[in-house]
Amino acid sequence: MKIKILLSFLFFFLINTNLQSDSVEIISDNIKILNNGKILNAINSKAIVEEKDLILESIKLKYIKENEQIFLEDNVVFTDNLQNLKIKTDKAEYKKIDDIIKTKGPTKIDYGTNYEILSSNLIYDRKLKEIYSNRETTIKDLDGNIYNIQDNFKLNILKDIITTKKISVIDSKNNIYYFENAKINLSNKEIAGRELKIDFVDDYFGSSKNDPLLKGRSATSNDKQTKIFKTVFSTCNTENKSCPGWEIETEEFTHDKIKKTFNYKNSWIKLFGKEIFYLPFFSHPDPTIKRKSGFLPPTYANSSNYGNWINIPYFKAIDIDKDVTLKPRINLDDKFIFQSE
């Protein structure tokens, strides 16, 4: 049979000890009162702190009246209705005066409906609205992105912002983003950080022999775009040297996730460390695009009949199975030929 006890009422009438008017309500299968009413042990229990809008559940519960501290073990669940989060662990304590929850060992947080946080030895300061830990932490969202925090982190619940020194993010396509001194806005999934490195999947740019890598000084990223400053990018395998040592060094790189394009500003194309060609701006489709309208590489040639000429083809993707290629040939002696496929 379940036993329900309102602690302020129980202690006042049984042991004539004054308590604050605020109460902790205990519901349990088995309750033992020890040390002249100063300690309460309960089995299969639920503690309700109504003024805090907090519910604590566990197999074993120990309540110390003097400092209003609750110790919990086995299948521990904290339900914070104010912040819409739930904490699950096997061992924890709650100090009502400070309104602080501390967990020991592996801990899972269901943060709203969009995020799952896996960590250990967490501290949740409900007054400051902050959760922090100095242990490795993994955060998963509904889109399949995984955020791996290497050491400590702090989550500001009011702003929905996580700050950490080192983090790696694995997106739904298994590309890995490394950030230092990062801030993550969980509301809009925007990440800002320094010393970014992106380790793309090897075949992301068409060949499994590649080892595509992008580095930048600082970056911001959200669902619409990733912007990186002072960027160096190459698809070459840097270990096996299976392709020429080329790279693009650019002042500002933007991945437009809506238009699915890579955009570069003030860039140098470098070959074996030497600056070869400068481009104030250029762009190309990202690797998820298989067919996209645009100009193809131009060709220059000459013949005895037509003289010197340049061909500037344009590819138009009409549909998934239809396209047209326009090939205007411009001669230097004012002749013009137009071809198409």
Side-chain angles (χ1 to χ4, degrees), residues 202 208-212 234-243:
D202 287 350
S208 59
K209 295 181 179 180
N210 289 341
D211 185 16
S234 177
T235 60
C236 287
N237 188 312
T238 56
E239 292 182 2
N240 298 327
K241 304 294 183 183
S242 61
C243 63

Side-chain angles (χ1 to χ4, degrees), residues 111 114-115 117 139 141 143 145 147 149 153-164 167 169 179 181-193 219-224:
Y111 191 72
N114 298 321
Y115 292 94
I117 302 174
I139 302 171
D141 66 22
D143 296 326
N145 301 310
Y147 307 77
I149 298 171
F153 82 96
K154 180 171 69 174
L155 167 58
N156 185 311
I157 295 174
L158 291 178
K159 297 180 180 180
D160 270 349
I161 290 178
I162 288 177
T163 57
T164 182
I167 185 171
V169 182
F179 289 88
N181 299 322
K183 288 184 180 292
I184 308 167
N185 190 319
L186 298 180
S187 297
N188 58 20
K189 297 183 181 178
E190 183 169 286
I191 305 176
T220 60
S221 182
N222 54 38
D223 284 341
K224 295 181 179 180

Side-chain angles (χ1 to χ4, degrees), residues 37-206:
K38 295 181 180 180
I39 298 175
L40 182 148
N41 287 338
I43 304 296
N44 295 327
S45 58
K46 177 187 289 186
I48 302 173
V49 188
E50 187 173 355
E51 60 167 309
K52 307 290 187 183
D53 210 355
L54 181 67
I55 299 174
L56 301 79
E57 301 174 76
S58 66
I59 302 298
K60 299 177 183 178
L61 179 146
K62 182 178 182 179
Y63 178 80
I64 300 177
K65 169 188 168 292
E66 186 176 2
N67 57 10
E68 292 188 288
Q69 196 165 6
I70 302 176
F71 296 89
L72 306 104
E73 288 187 38
D74 298 336
N75 295 333
V76 180
V77 179
F78 290 90
T79 303
D80 186 338
N81 293 314
L82 284 177
Q83 304 302 330
N84 189 27
L85 65 84
K86 185 173 288 188
I87 301 175
K88 300 177 182 179
T89 186
D90 277 330
K91 195 171 184 179
E93 61 181 86
Y94 172 65
K95 200 166 186 177
K96 182 171 174 286
I97 296 174
D98 299 327
D99 205 12
I100 290 178
I101 297 169
K102 294 181 180 179
T103 72
K104 296 180 181 179
T107 305
K108 175 185 174 184
I109 301 178
D110 294 326
Y111 191 72
T113 57
N114 298 321
Y115 292 94
E116 177 185 270
I117 302 174
L118 304 173
S119 187
S120 61
N121 293 20
L122 281 171
I123 298 175
Y124 176 20
D125 191 323
R126 299 181 77 240
K127 288 183 178 179
L128 296 178
K129 303 294 189 295
E130 291 180 348
I131 298 175
Y132 46 93
S133 173
N134 59 3
R135 302 296 181 90
E136 290 186 4
T137 301
T138 299
I139 302 171
K140 301 178 181 180
D141 66 22
L142 293 179
D143 296 326
N145 301 310
I146 300 174
Y147 307 77
N148 293 313
I149 298 171
Q150 294 184 20
D151 40 34
N152 57 72
F153 82 96
K154 180 171 69 174
L155 167 58
N156 185 311
I157 295 174
L158 291 178
K159 297 180 180 180
D160 270 349
I161 290 178
I162 288 177
T163 57
T164 182
K165 290 183 178 180
K166 287 187 177 183
I167 185 171
S168 63
V169 182
I170 305 174
D171 67 16
S172 56
K173 297 179 177 62
N174 289 324
N175 300 310
I176 305 176
Y177 302 72
Y178 299 91
F179 289 88
E180 292 185 8
N181 299 322
K183 288 184 180 292
I184 308 167
N185 190 319
L186 298 180
S187 297
N188 58 20
K189 297 183 181 178
E190 183 169 286
I191 305 176
R194 302 186 65 83
E195 303 302 328
L196 169 68
K197 183 176 77 170
I198 304 177
D199 191 358
F200 295 100
V201 176
D202 287 350
D203 61 359
Y204 192 60
F205 293 90

